[in-house]
Structures are given as C-alpha cells and as structure tokens.
Amino acid sequence: MEEIQEKNLNSDTITKLEQVVETILGKDKATFTLRDKTSGEILYTYRGEHLMRPASNMKILTGAAAISELGLDYRFKTEIFIDGNVEDHTLNRDIYVKGYGDPTINEATLKHFAKVLREYGIRYVKGKLIGDDTYFSGETLPPGVDDEGETHYYGARISPITMSPNDDFDASTIIVEAAAGNIGEKPMFNVIPHLSGLQIFNEGKTVDKNAENTLEIRRINNTNHIVITGELPEGETAKVWVSHQDPTKNTLLFFKELCKDAGIRFEQEDAIASGTTPKHAKLIHTHESRPIAEMFSIFMKLSNNSIADIFLKTMGKQKHGIGDYVHGLKVVRAYLEKRHIDFATWQFADGSGLSHHNRLHSNGLSELLYKLQKEPYFENFFESLPVGGNTNRLVGGTLKDRFLEPELQQQIFAKTGYIHEVNTLSGYVTGKSGRDYIFSIMLEGREEGIPFLDEGLKVIIEIV
C-alpha cells in the first residue's frame, strides 16, 4: 500500500478513498491529492510526489504566472509603421506591421488597419507589406506537436503576428466548413474568415445519407495546401479548424486583400515579406488588445493552447528580453519559487501542457491551488475555471458535458487536461458533507481516462 498522509479524516473515510484509487482510478495509473480548502492541510495523498504529465493542468501554472507577472490590465499591442514618403497618395517604400503576440486580432482589426492606412492618405504602395515578428524567437511550432497535431488548432504555430477566426481566440487558424451537395458531387466549402494564402484541394464526395461520414479536412504538413478527402453523406456538414503554415505571412496576405477592398493597391504582386522594422520608420498607428482580464476566462475555460504559449513567450520577453520557451519558463519557475512551491523535480517544456515532456505532481499542484486563494487576482483565476455540468460553454467550458447530475451542479470548479493516454483534473470541490476541498487527480496509461476520472471524483464527493 502506498504511503498516505492523514489529517482530520477518520480511518473509515481513508479506507474508502483507498478503495476509490484501487478500484476506479487505478492503483498503477493515478496520483491523487486531497487538501482542506481553508487550511491547506493534506487530508489524503496517493503517490502525491509521483511525477506525471499534467496535460492542460500546466495552464494553471502558466495562467497564474501570467496574471501575476504581466497583470490583468496588460494589453498586447500591434504597431503600423511606414518607411518612406507619401506623395500623391503613393507610398514610395514599405509598410511594416510589428506584432507583439496579440491573439485577439481578427478580420475587424485588420479592416481597421486598412482604414488607418487609407485615412493616412495611402492609395498605392510601391514597396512591400512587411511583418516584423521578431518579438518572439525560437521555434514557432510548440514543443511536442506531432505530425498529426501540426495542422490542427491545438498545435498551431506561435507568432507575434497572428489572427483568430472567432471570439474563442484560436490564433493562427482558419475555419473550413463543408456541406454535402448532390450525390456524386464534391462537397461545397466555406472558409472563415479567408484562405489567407492557403489553397484548398477538394477531393471529397457526397454520398447517400445512410453512408458513413469519412470526410477529412486537413493541411498537408509544412505546406499551404488543405486537402478535403473522404465521403460526406447527404444533408450532413463538417467544420474543422486548420492551422496556418506561417502565421505572419498568412495574416498579412489577408490584410493585403483587405487593403485592396479599402482601395489600397500594391505595385508588387508578391508584396508580402518578413523583416525588422527600421529605426527610422514612422509609427502611424498602435492597436491595443483587450486586457488579459477579458481574455483569461476564455483561455482557461476553453483550454486555449495558443494563448498559453503566447503568455509564456511574452513573459520571457518582458522579464528577460527573450521571447522564447526557455525564458518564459524561467518566469514560471521564479513565480513558483516565490510562493515556496516545491517544484525541484518538476520538468517543463511549454506553457500549454501539450508536450509529453512536462512533469508535475499532485501534491505541488494542489499546494499552488491553495496558495492562489491568497493572491489579489484569485477571483479572476477562480472564475476562469470550468464549472462541472454547466452546459453554457463559456461557463462550463471543458466540463460542460461532465458531472451533469443535479446534485453536482456548482460543486466542481476545475481545470481539465488531456493528451494521448493522459487525463487530469485539478481544482476546488464541495463534498457531500458541505466541506470544501482542493483536489488534484492525474491519470495516465488509459486510452479513455475520463470515465474513470469522473466516476472516481463522484465517489470521492460522496465519501467526503
């Protein structure tokens, strides 16, 4: 039997918790820590120092560090420069867009940038539209992204210049919608907001309504080519988020089209480039994002990987002058050290938890959740957590379809986590007794771990 630590729980309750671990969670597959929410005392721990992959529970660390070190009022900016003179509505050189990681830029933002250029008097550009994405450095592809994930939204590349297709801030992606046509015909498709330099090759086929839906929409790795394959039954639709191959260039290609719509023409057909803004370039516009306080809940409830790594790289740039994973994680470590969290054995690779190289333990994660209650930003943090069984996706988030039983409503406030064969859940829960607890459960080695995790937590709530 694993060593356990008992505080304020009677032997019968301890025995029942052991049975939950052994018969539901899985003795060799789980770590579990239960703390008193008020005192922080560990009431029960099973392999609480055992290192596990946290999946998106890593966002608890990244998110807490971001709102502490950057601040809830922090706004990402994007700057527009011109290098050259404007004569007779003609800019004789280049336009520079310098990005700082704003994940909320969308079609409306880019239209506004085009309007700014027009109001400045520009109608014709002899030079290029150049993206300055030097604020971040290192690899754009997040650590741990495999060939499958490289083209999906959860593995989208991280760039200081990016755009989102919706209000979920799925940065560096577009949405491709497909709808069945007549039998034998190719499905119809629609792109939100714009192809942005990507190309679609439609090899799909509409089939009888009783046939199996095998339609697949994906970008071929390291290319701008999106391929639609498979069969889509009559009357059915499909919707897929596809990541950009090069967020900076893909975003600027869309911006160039919006400039055209605004009556601004470029002399060069191939006018998109990357580069560093010259010191003598003239700043003509600064756009600021909504504050972190307004995007934090969406980040946590919907478990947005792109925002996690944007936060991380921004912290590295702000604190150490280098916007990469290494220096962002230095900020996270300093944040934990200042709060006396024992993370000596922990391993970090990214800010989102997508990488299988991250390692945490449930004792330390639950200790952080306890100490967060004393922080001035705790209310914002707590309200960002998914709420079990609340079917409003902006409240329930990734828990909106779990813990739907009436007696569990408003009882579970916790961050979910999933990567292949890993499921995690850590947060705050009220037991059947009415007592409040902090918990952290991490499972690994199961193809489908959610049923085991959820059933285990439901029984734990009944016990305590």
Side-chain angles (χ1 to χ4, degrees):
M1 183 64 61
E2 293 285 338
E3 180 183 355
I4 59 174
Q5 185 173 350
E6 180 179 353
K7 296 283 183 66
N8 301 326
L9 292 182
N10 60 44
S11 59
D12 182 56
T13 301
I14 293 291
T15 300
K16 290 179 179 178
L17 290 174
E18 289 176 350
Q19 290 173 348
V20 170
V21 171
E22 294 181 2
T23 64
I24 302 177
L25 298 179
K27 187 175 179 180
D28 61 341
K29 299 180 184 299
T31 65
F32 168 41
T33 302
L34 185 71
R35 291 179 183 266
D36 181 85
K37 184 173 181 286
T38 302
S39 69
E41 292 295 326
I42 292 179
L43 304 174
Y44 178 89
T45 180
Y46 179 83
R47 298 204 305 175
E49 300 289 330
H50 181 75
L51 293 177
M52 297 276 272
R53 291 166 285 177
S56 284
N57 273 202
M58 184 68 193
K59 294 183 177 75
I60 294 173
L61 281 64
T62 307
I67 54 179
S68 171
E69 304 306 307
L70 297 176
L72 289 164
D73 294 330
Y74 184 87
R75 296 174 185 264
F76 296 90
K77 65 180 179 179
T78 304
E79 297 173 329
I80 309 294
F81 294 83
I82 58 171
D83 175 25
N85 299 319
V86 179
E87 298 177 359
D88 295 327
H89 300 296
T90 298
L91 174 63
N92 58 22
R93 296 195 66 177
D94 305 311
I95 298 169
Y96 285 83
V97 178
K98 183 172 177 60
Y100 294 82
D102 183 358
T104 70
I105 287 177
N106 56 20
E107 181 175 6
T109 313
L110 296 175
K111 282 183 176 179
H112 177 67
F113 291 172
K115 181 181 178 183
V116 167
L117 294 175
R118 183 173 176 84
E119 289 179 347
Y120 197 80
I122 298 172
R123 303 289 186 275
Y124 192 75
V125 181
K126 289 188 175 181
K128 292 182 177 290
L129 179 58
I130 301 174
D132 183 344
D133 55 9
T134 56
Y135 192 71
F136 293 161
S137 55
E139 290 293 326
T140 59
L141 197 65
V145 176
D146 57 15
D147 287 345
E148 174 69 20
E150 194 262 332
T151 73
H152 291 282
Y153 72 97
Y154 59 80
R157 294 176 182 271
I158 308 302
S159 171
I161 300 175
T162 185
M163 67 176 187
S164 298
N166 55 17
D167 290 336
D168 291 352
F169 312 138
D170 293 315
S172 301
T173 68
I174 60 173
I175 299 172
V176 180
E177 299 175 324
N182 296 320
I183 292 178
E185 295 180 350
K186 295 180 179 181
M188 299 170 286
F189 66 85
N190 177 52
V191 178
I192 301 172
H194 190 269
L195 267 173
S196 307
L198 301 172
Q199 294 177 283
I200 290 185
F201 298 86
N202 188 356
E203 301 170 4
K205 183 180 179 181
T206 301
V207 293
D208 183 83
K209 63 181 180 181
N210 296 315
E212 181 183 359
N213 185 344
T214 61
L215 196 79
E216 184 174 296
I217 303 171
R218 63 173 290 117
R219 180 172 57 79
I220 298 174
N221 288 18
N222 297 310
T223 75
N224 282 313
H225 296 167
I226 299 171
V227 179
I228 301 175
T229 57
E231 297 179 339
L232 187 63
E234 266 190 313
E236 293 195 23
T237 61
K239 186 176 183 180
V240 176
W241 280 250
V242 179
S243 68
H244 285 155
Q245 162 61 17
D246 184 332
T248 296
K249 290 186 177 180
N250 291 133
T251 300
L252 292 185
L253 281 164
F254 183 33
F255 180 34
K256 180 172 175 280
E257 288 298 310
L258 294 173
C259 285
K260 181 180 177 181
D261 292 344
I264 300 170
R265 300 290 187 271
F266 285 80
E267 182 176 81
Q268 303 178 41
E269 183 64 28
D270 185 17
I272 305 300
S274 296
T276 302
T277 307
K279 291 183 178 179
H280 62 262
K282 182 178 181 180
L283 176 65
I284 64 171
H285 180 67
T286 300
H287 169 79
E288 290 190 338
S289 73
R290 64 189 73 188
I292 283 180
E294 293 184 18
M295 66 179 80
F296 194 79
S297 182
I298 289 175
F299 155 60
M300 289 287 279
K301 287 185 183 293
L302 303 183
S303 203
N304 188 304
N305 288 346
S306 295
I307 293 180
D309 285 342
I310 286 171
F311 281 167
L312 191 74
K313 287 195 170 190
T314 302
M315 287 190 286
K317 186 69 173 183
Q318 290 284 307
K319 299 295 181 180
H320 299 290
I322 302 176
D324 63 8
Y325 286 98
V326 171
H327 291 83
L329 289 169
K330 284 181 68 174
V331 179
V332 173
R333 289 187 178 94
Y335 174 84
L336 295 172
E337 184 174 16
K338 187 176 180 180
R339 283 147 187 85
H340 306 290
I341 305 297
D342 181 11
F343 65 95
T345 61
W346 292 7
Q347 301 168 29
F348 302 126
D350 61 18
S352 69
L354 182 62
S355 173
H356 284 265
H357 294 292
N358 294 301
R359 293 290 188 279
L360 311 180
H361 54 61
S362 60
N363 278 2
L365 194 51
S366 60
E367 183 183 12
L368 176 59
L369 288 168
Y370 168 68
K371 290 184 175 180
L372 278 170
Q373 296 176 105
K374 301 175 183 178
E375 299 289 351
Y377 47 80
F378 177 69
E379 182 178 354
N380 296 81
F381 177 86
F382 183 78
E383 290 180 352
S384 78
L385 294 172
V387 181
N390 191 312
T391 56
N392 181 338
R393 68 187 293 271
L394 296 182
V395 179
T398 50
L399 285 179
K400 70 180 180 66
D401 298 320
R402 298 163 62 180
F403 307 107
L404 295 169
E405 297 86 342
E407 65 272 17
L408 295 176
Q409 296 296 311
Q410 302 300 311
Q411 302 299 304
I412 302 165
F413 302 82
K415 183 70 196 74
T416 59
Y418 168 75
I419 51 179
H420 182 61
E421 292 193 344
V422 175
N423 290 95
T424 58
L425 190 66
S426 300
Y428 308 89
V429 65
T430 302
K432 188 176 181 180
S433 65
R435 185 176 177 181
D436 293 325
Y437 301 92
I438 295 168
F439 73 96
S440 178
I441 305 174
M442 293 191 272
L443 305 182
E444 61 182 11
R446 294 189 189 275
E447 196 69 39
E448 296 290 339
I450 287 178
F452 297 95
L453 196 159
D454 288 5
E455 181 60 26
L457 183 57
K458 289 174 187 178
V459 177
I460 291 166
I461 290 172
E462 282 290 315
I463 293 170
V464 299

